[in-house]
Amino acid sequence: MVQFWDHIPDNLIAWIEKQHMFFVATSPLTGDGHVNVSPKGLTGSFHVANKNRVWYEDLSGSGVETIAHVRENGRITVMFCAFAGPARILRLFGRGTVHEFGTAEYDALVPPATRLSGSRAAVVVDVYKISTSCGYAVPVMDYKADRRALLQWSDKLERLDAQFAADRTSCPSEAVSRTSAVLPVRSLKWWWAAHNTRSLDGLPGLHRAHVVDRVPRGVVRAGRDEPPSDGTVVILGNRVPKAGLGQRAGAWVLAVGGVEREEVGRMMLAFSVGVLIAAVWVRVVGGAGC
């Protein structure tokens, strides 16, 4: 029998904290948009702040549907199923808020010491209704272990960001625009820029995680964070096909805030001229030899 509450009962909080996975459902406002359902997991990624607020670490993936939908309209439902013990389905209906990597709100929720590899945002859900139902059709399954593949994959990408940041720190004469970041291919920020700035429906996804002066592994570059107003992405040396972003080994990515695609050509030319001028200046003045 279905039961409803306006807050999470204490016994259900304890039950939630024992679960190994959950599902998140979101949808855009448009009638022909994609309704998204994402399975989530990894021990320690989900947190109950109080009886009407929960949050979880959103880890990097191939898409950004949940973040984009929540940013557009806030609607979100979190569902837990009992795969062991008494049958149960629990749904948390709420309004979501996204705090990206590199923001003060994210840092308050996800300190570096506990951050999971690949964490790109904290999704906070203010819960206004809770329901439970029987769940008799959910199979009984034994939990063996968390899969580690996602963490291993993102850890490799984060190491590239850390190395790139360290190289730039040791070579301060390298000129890069304050409103853009040149990223090595297959770094985590490159992945965010190339795959996580737009949803399948074309809604904005990540706004700033890929361009802030913060490195996922905790290496901080000199300068101050400047949030972009958009997340246009260009892969240097490649065209940007209509169906998606081109990729090529050895290429670099330029993640640009507040620039429309039509302006990319002019920006690329200005960037190249700027690099050329900087190189000439270093040679004439006898600048740093990094």
Side-chain angles (χ1 to χ4, degrees):
M1 180 178 178
V2 178
Q3 289 183 285
F4 293 96
W5 293 268
D6 58 8
H7 64 273
I8 310 173
D10 290 335
N11 67 307
L12 292 183
I13 291 177
W15 180 80
I16 287 172
E17 292 175 340
K18 294 179 181 178
Q19 304 311 303
H20 299 290
M21 71 172 297
F22 57 99
F23 301 85
V24 175
T26 58
S27 175
L29 293 177
T30 178
D32 59 354
H34 297 80
V35 176
N36 186 67
V37 180
S38 294
K40 306 288 185 180
L42 292 179
T43 302
S45 63
F46 192 89
H47 306 266
V48 179
N50 57 52
K51 293 184 177 183
N52 286 100
R53 173 170 288 189
V54 300
W55 67 275
Y56 67 91
E57 273 190 86
D58 190 74
L59 306 182
S60 299
S62 56
V64 70
E65 306 310 296
T66 300
I67 287 176
H69 294 166
V70 167
R71 281 207 151 127
E72 185 204 38
N73 57 66
R75 300 177 302 177
I76 185 169
T77 298
V78 180
M79 184 180 76
F80 291 87
C81 297
F83 296 108
R88 174 182 286 153
I89 295 174
L90 180 146
R91 293 178 176 87
L92 306 176
F93 303 96
R95 306 289 296 181
T97 305
V98 176
H99 301 301
E100 282 189 48
F101 171 86
T103 64
E105 295 84 357
Y106 175 92
D107 292 342
L109 292 169
V110 190
T114 61
R115 176 183 174 273
L116 293 171
S117 177
S119 175
R120 62 188 177 184
V123 178
V124 178
V125 181
D126 289 307
V127 180
Y128 61 82
K129 181 182 290 187
I130 296 90
S131 75
T132 59
S133 54
C134 64
Y136 290 155
V138 176
V140 176
M141 296 185 286
D142 291 330
Y143 170 77
K144 291 186 177 181
D146 285 340
R147 296 181 189 270
R148 311 304 295 177
L150 182 63
L151 297 179
Q152 293 168 353
W153 169 80
S154 57
D155 199 50
K156 291 179 181 178
L157 272 61
E158 289 194 359
R159 282 198 291 269
L160 286 177
D161 284 305
Q163 182 59 55
F164 182 64
D167 291 344
R168 289 190 61 195
T169 300
S170 65
C171 185
S173 64
E174 182 177 345
V176 177
S177 169
R178 296 299 311 136
T179 57
S180 65
V182 179
L183 309 170
V185 160
R186 295 299 173 185
S187 71
L188 186 60
K189 284 195 171 186
W190 174 89
W191 185 269
W192 290 343
H195 300 283
N196 291 171
T197 59
R198 292 281 172 179
S199 73
L200 291 172
D201 305 296
L203 297 174
L206 293 180
H207 292 174
R208 60 173 289 157
H210 52 299
V211 294
V212 295
D213 276 338
R214 188 80 55 81
V215 178
R217 292 176 68 89
V219 180
V220 180
R221 292 190 279 117
R224 59 190 177 87
D225 292 352
E226 293 184 7
S229 59
D230 195 2
T232 304
V233 179
V234 180
I235 296 184
L236 304 187
N238 291 353
R239 292 186 302 107
V240 181
K242 293 181 180 179
L245 294 166
Q247 299 178 11
R248 184 182 63 185
W252 294 72
V253 156
L254 182 62
V256 184
V259 180
E260 298 296 331
R261 288 188 184 275
E262 289 76 18
E263 299 179 272
V264 166
R266 292 192 297 274
M267 179 174 174
M268 294 293 293
L269 177 60
F271 180 84
S272 301
V273 172
V275 171
L276 178 62
I277 292 173
V280 173
W281 183 85
V282 169
R283 182 177 295 275
V284 171
V285 178
C290 298

